[in-house]
Amino acid sequence: MQTTKLTSKSILPLTCSRSGTCCFGKAVMLNPWEIVCFSKAKKISSREFRDLYSEFGGIQLRFDGKEDKKGQKSCSQYIPDFGCSVHEGRPLACRLYPLGRQIQFDKAQYIFEGTTFPCLTDCAEVLELPKMSVGNYLKGQKADLFEKAQDEYLIVMQNIADIGFELFLDSGLSESGDTETLKAWRKLGNETPEIVAQKIGKDWLDALMIPEITDEIENPVVFAKKHNDLLLEKAQQQFGSLQTFEELHKASVLMIAIALHLAKSLGADTKGIADHWIETAKSFGGKE
């Protein structure tokens, strides 16, 4: 699909008509800090929100509400004739819509997919409303903190993956002639979120998506850094004394699975990331 790139000064029909059509039939991904924001707005715990309203261990918002005329189900947080029930806690995907945010070489670019602006498909009435710049739209959506959360969790994702690299490359596993580990990495990049969640298991899914952090929840950067430390500590405790190549293989695959699951929650291309990581490992002597 063609992608149209934008700047903060691009002028578009971004004034929302509040018809609610964008609350149906979407795939809205959630990172751990966004679950905290949602649960705070809902006045329930992060675990309760995750278990009641998300899928695949917490990375995707559940769409199981009322159907529209197209048969598309609404977001679990959507109330007919009212709108979003937790609007203040909505995630970045909702704040950006109909825009996307593409990160390449540490720079973010705003985009929309296709040649026709998405809002015009179901909400042609937006043409009668004032246009605005992308920058002003995002400011009004209070997207800044949520973008910072996404950026910081991309760092966490890579830190988790680095453990998978160390378990493979620095432990003697790669030098042993192992070819199964990178094959498993590649398979993970092509698996569905449901399958990857099953491979990760409840213990690590809880650690990944609902960390036990009760302070600093207003600051996504500090929150993500604390979460990063908890994950690295857990990995050290669990994998610090592995001895057999089989144990190292399983641990490396698990860490890559966790990193890719987090990548999926950030809207990243997991296949592309897995392929990149495999090529990187091969450049350091890994075999497939």
Side-chain angles (χ1 to χ4, degrees), residues 200-218:
I200 291 170
K202 182 181 183 301
D203 183 49
W204 270 102
L205 275 178
D206 285 354
L208 179 65
M209 298 309 297
I210 49 171
E212 295 182 0
I213 302 173
T214 57
D215 58 344
E216 302 292 354
I217 62 174
E218 302 296 333

Side-chain angles (χ1 to χ4, degrees), residues 49 196 263:
F49 188 91
V196 176

